[in-house]
Amino acid sequence: QVQVAESGGGLVQAGSSVRLSCVASGRTLNLYYMGWFRQAPGKEREFVAAIDWNGHSPKYGDSVKGRVTISRDNTKNTVFLQMNSLNGADTAVYYCAADRSYPRLVSGTSPPNNWGQGTQVTVSS
């Protein structure tokens, strides 16, 4: 079983950057793929980024590609999401998820207990 907890959100200016963190706890964390999703008010949850267990082969959602970098530090059980050139469309609750199945992770269908509570990012113009 794995638990994850996000941090780093807040109110940011348009055009600026933010780095979100997700700390994972549990056994054999280095076997888990990690990912980020977001959900804006009135919209469905959207895939943002995912990374495999050794930090390679990142995958990004089309709406953030080129502005976002996902990375992980297994020594700290942490995955990061660096977001640049923020705009109003980036305003959302950002969720971290962990899964041993990469396809299940990127599809957003990981078990409910593998998700964090989310961190709010609000971009002001």
Side-chain angles (χ1 to χ4, degrees):
Q1 189 70 17
V2 63
Q3 294 83 40
V4 297
E6 309 91 340
S7 64
L11 178 64
V12 296
Q13 294 279 344
S16 66
S17 301
V18 69
R19 188 175 83 155
L20 307 180
S21 299
C22 172
V23 178
S25 59
R27 298 181 177 180
T28 60
L29 294 172
N30 62 328
L31 297 182
Y32 280 83
Y33 302 100
M34 303 290 290
W36 288 93
F37 292 76
R38 68 185 183 183
Q39 188 166 20
K43 295 188 177 181
E44 294 186 354
R45 187 167 57 193
E46 175 187 20
F47 170 75
V48 176
I51 196 166
D52 65 8
W53 67 271
N54 62 4
H56 298 163
S57 304
K59 180 181 175 68
Y60 299 101
D62 290 339
S63 65
V64 299
K65 202 170 293 183
R67 298 189 297 119
V68 168
T69 301
I70 187 172
S71 60
R72 68 188 292 168
D73 184 344
N74 286 340
T75 65
K76 298 180 179 178
N77 298 331
T78 303
V79 63
F80 304 98
L81 185 71
Q82 176 72 37
M83 300 179 63
N84 303 320
S85 302
L86 291 166
N87 58 65
D90 297 314
T91 295
V93 178
Y94 285 75
Y95 297 93
C96 177
D99 208 317
R100 290 196 176 193
S101 166
Y102 195 66
R104 189 169 62 185
L105 173 68
V106 297
S107 70
T109 58
S110 298
N113 288 343
N114 289 25
W115 293 80
Q117 294 299 309
T119 185
Q120 175 73 47
V121 173
T122 302
V123 182
S124 64
S125 57

